[in-house]
């Protein structure tokens, strides 16, 4: 397969690109390289003749149709998105633009390309819409996990923009016959994640001996999945997902935010005892407005029908992630410094 991966320089995107290349597929990445991108993660692919990178915006119809015309992909994995809930609360319009309008552009271009394919190639073409568990809203403490039949009930601007994109993808499938497969992944962790998300943010703060800001009572529950397992699920869905269907990609690892942050501190105490005990840096801060209390997914369908299962145990994956961030401090510290520099310039 030659797969067009939008957002391939992002956190999950680069893990997907690596896995596709390892499995002998070919990849073209389309990415705007926003602040969240980790293009350094793609450096190791640069020499491969099965890999190409296009710097472009999914909202730009000319850039998108050029990629289709030049590379003739067998499938699209659409990951490009604004992905941080806090930013969506501060500036929802960027999320509407990339996540909703950008998805509509990708669907439109995919449809035009798909219609022109000879029947044999049309048969195997897929558009994988990479979505999130957040579109289903918040669960009570004892409620059963979400299933594929759960209704959409997004509550943050981020979740609403992803839900809108999913509805567009379903509409393109139903109305135009585009072979769309939807995946709803849970909270993902691992290498190359930008230091605004919970795990790398807390790690960076603890590393520097700075306050680790835990929202509210820290008892919000998330289901956690290692990025390599998430990427494996996406490859499996590109190859085996049934058009028109959605699949929940859950890690069967529900943890409270407080438990996660304490586990990070324990690992740092072992590996970098200079600031131990790191738990003393945890501080409670005002909760995020409208903060969802619990997400959990039932992954039985993808396990049964596709044969995918998470392979990382959360504690093992988290320890490996802490170790990775410790050995890549140059990378994430450079990004933090760049951000601080931009803020200072803006303030001048
Ligand atoms: P990320 O923020 O790390 O990366 C997003 C990538 O998209 C970046 O490389 C960025 O440069 C690119 N991008 C942004 N706007 C673009 C545009 N207009 N045109 C082209 N490229 C653009 O995100 P991530 O965590 O890797 O998430 C990838 C996808 O998976 C998203 O669609 C997200 O909603 C979904 N998802 C993420 C998680 C998670 O826990 N991280 C869980 C479930 C689903």
């Amino acid at each position: 397969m030659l797969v067009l991966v939008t957002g391939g320089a992002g956190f999950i995107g680069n893990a997907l690109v690596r896995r596709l290349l390892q499995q002998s597929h070919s990849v073209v990445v389309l990415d705007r390289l926003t602040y969240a991108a980790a293009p350094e993660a793609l450096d190791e692919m640069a020499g491969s003749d099965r890999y190409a990178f296009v710097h472009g915006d999914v909202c730009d119809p000319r850039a998108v149709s050029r990629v289709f015309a030049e590379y003739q992909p067998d499938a699209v994995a659409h990951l490009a998105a604004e992905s941080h809930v806090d930013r969506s609360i501060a500036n929802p319009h960027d999320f509407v633009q990339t996540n909703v309008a950008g998805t509509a552009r990708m669907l439109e271009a995919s449809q035009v390309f798909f219609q022109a394919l000879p029947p044999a190639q049309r048969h195997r073409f897929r558009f994988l819409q990479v979505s999130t568990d957040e579109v289903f809203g918040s669960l009570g403490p004892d409620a059963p996990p979400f299933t594929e039949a759960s209704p959409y009930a997004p509550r943050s601007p981020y979740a609403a923009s992803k839900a809108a994109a999913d509805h567009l993808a379903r509409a393109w499938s139903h109305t135009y016959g585009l072979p769309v497969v939807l995946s709803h992944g849970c909270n993902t962790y691992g290498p190359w994640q930008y230091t605004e998300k919970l795990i790398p943010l807390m790690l960076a703060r603890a590393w520097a001996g700075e306050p680790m800001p835990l929202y509210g009572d820290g008892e919000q529950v998330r289901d956690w999945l290692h990025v390599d397992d998430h990427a494996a699920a996406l490859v499996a869905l590109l190859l085996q997902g049934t058009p028109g269907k959605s699949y929940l990609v859950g890690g069967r690892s529900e943890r409270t935010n407080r438990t996660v942050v304490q586990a990070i501190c324990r690992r740092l105490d072992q590996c970098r005892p200079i600031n131990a005990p790191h738990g003393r840096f945890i501080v409670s801060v005002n909760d995020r407005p409208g903060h969802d209390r619990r997400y959990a997914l039932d992954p039985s369908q993808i396990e049964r029908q596709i044969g995918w299962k998470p392979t990382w145990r959360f504690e093992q994956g988290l320890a490996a992630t802490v170790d990775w961030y410790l050995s890549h401090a140059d990378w994430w510290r450079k990004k933090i410094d760049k951000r601080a520099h931009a803020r200072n310039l803006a303030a001048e």
Side-chain angles (χ1 to χ4, degrees):
M1 265 192 312
L2 192 164
V3 185
L4 164 55
V5 180
T6 71
F11 163 54
I12 301 173
N14 81 70
L16 173 62
V17 171
R18 195 170 303 109
R19 184 163 284 264
L20 284 166
L21 292 175
Q22 276 161 3
Q23 297 187 6
S24 301
H25 301 292
S26 301
V27 174
V28 55
V29 167
L30 174 65
D31 197 300
R32 188 161 74 93
L33 296 181
T34 67
Y35 75 95
E40 302 84 353
L42 298 173
D43 284 352
E44 65 184 272
M45 338 293 186
S48 168
D49 57 4
R50 289 183 287 110
Y51 166 78
F53 180 85
V54 177
H55 185 199
D57 192 327
V58 292
C59 302
D60 174 355
R62 271 187 306 187
V64 172
S65 40
R66 250 199 321 266
V67 174
F68 275 98
E70 189 171 340
Y71 292 94
Q72 307 272 313
D74 301 303
V76 176
H78 179 46
L79 288 86
E82 291 292 339
S83 67
H84 188 42
V85 175
D86 288 347
R87 283 181 188 256
S88 81
I89 294 168
N91 189 359
H93 294 288
D94 288 352
F95 286 68
V96 174
Q97 179 62 13
T98 285
N99 299 3
V100 186
T103 300
R105 286 286 176 214
M106 287 304 303
L107 288 164
E108 223 165 16
S110 299
Q111 175 64 19
V112 169
F113 177 75
F114 171 71
Q115 281 304 336
L117 284 175
Q121 276 169 268
R122 217 184 284 172
H123 180 68
R124 63 175 190 176
F125 187 86
R126 294 288 180 274
F127 184 101
L128 177 61
Q129 163 66 7
V130 179
S131 186
T132 162
D133 54 3
E134 304 195 24
V135 298
F136 300 117
S138 186
L139 281 170
D142 303 318
F146 296 121
T147 68
E148 282 78 6
S150 297
Y152 276 67
R155 293 160 29 120
S156 72
Y158 164 66
S161 69
K162 291 295 291 186
D166 292 1
H167 289 316
L168 290 172
R170 285 163 179 258
W172 252 262
S173 167
H174 184 76
T175 307
Y176 305 110
L178 186 69
V180 171
V181 175
L182 275 106
S183 72
H184 296 278
C186 63
N187 265 43
T188 304
Y189 69 96
W192 300 112
Q193 188 172 33
Y194 187 63
T195 51
E196 64 187 356
K197 303 281 170 65
L198 182 75
I199 291 176
L201 170 75
M202 292 297 183
L203 253 162
R205 290 296 180 86
W207 186 93
E210 289 173 359
M212 302 166 69
L214 190 62
Y215 276 140
D217 62 5
E219 295 302 311
Q220 304 86 357
V221 175
R222 301 292 183 260
D223 182 5
W224 290 93
L225 179 67
H226 192 278
V227 69
D228 289 344
D229 283 330
H230 198 151
L234 299 181
V235 176
L237 290 175
L238 280 165
L239 291 167
Q240 303 172 59
T242 303
K245 267 186 114 155
S246 52
Y247 297 85
L248 303 191
V249 184
R252 295 193 185 276
S253 285
E254 286 186 55
R255 301 284 185 283
T256 66
N257 285 352
R258 183 176 294 281
T259 312
V260 172
V261 172
Q262 286 169 341
I264 294 170
C265 290
R266 277 197 301 278
R267 183 68 182 177
L268 282 171
D269 289 347
Q270 286 170 358
C271 304
R272 197 166 178 270
I274 177 172
N275 275 334
H278 291 83
R280 71 196 151 106
F281 298 117
I282 302 173
V283 291
S284 290
V285 296
N286 286 344
D287 209 350
R288 166 191 283 165
H291 205 171
D292 287 341
R293 201 66 184 161
R294 176 173 167 240
Y295 306 131
L297 293 176
D298 177 358
S300 306
Q301 177 180 259
I302 186 170
E303 289 176 352
R304 222 178 28 247
Q305 294 178 9
I306 307 289
W308 170 88
K309 254 193 180 56
T311 59
W312 285 85
R313 257 192 341 102
F314 179 71
E315 282 65 26
Q316 172 206 19
L318 185 67
T321 302
V322 172
D323 297 354
W324 187 90
Y325 274 85
L326 289 179
S327 62
H328 290 74
D330 284 354
W331 172 70
W332 54 264
R333 288 185 59 208
K334 221 172 13 208
K335 278 179 110 52
I336 290 174
D337 290 348
K338 213 159 119 190
R339 189 173 48 184
H341 182 63
R343 257 202 312 266
N344 291 342
L345 283 182
E348 271 169 14

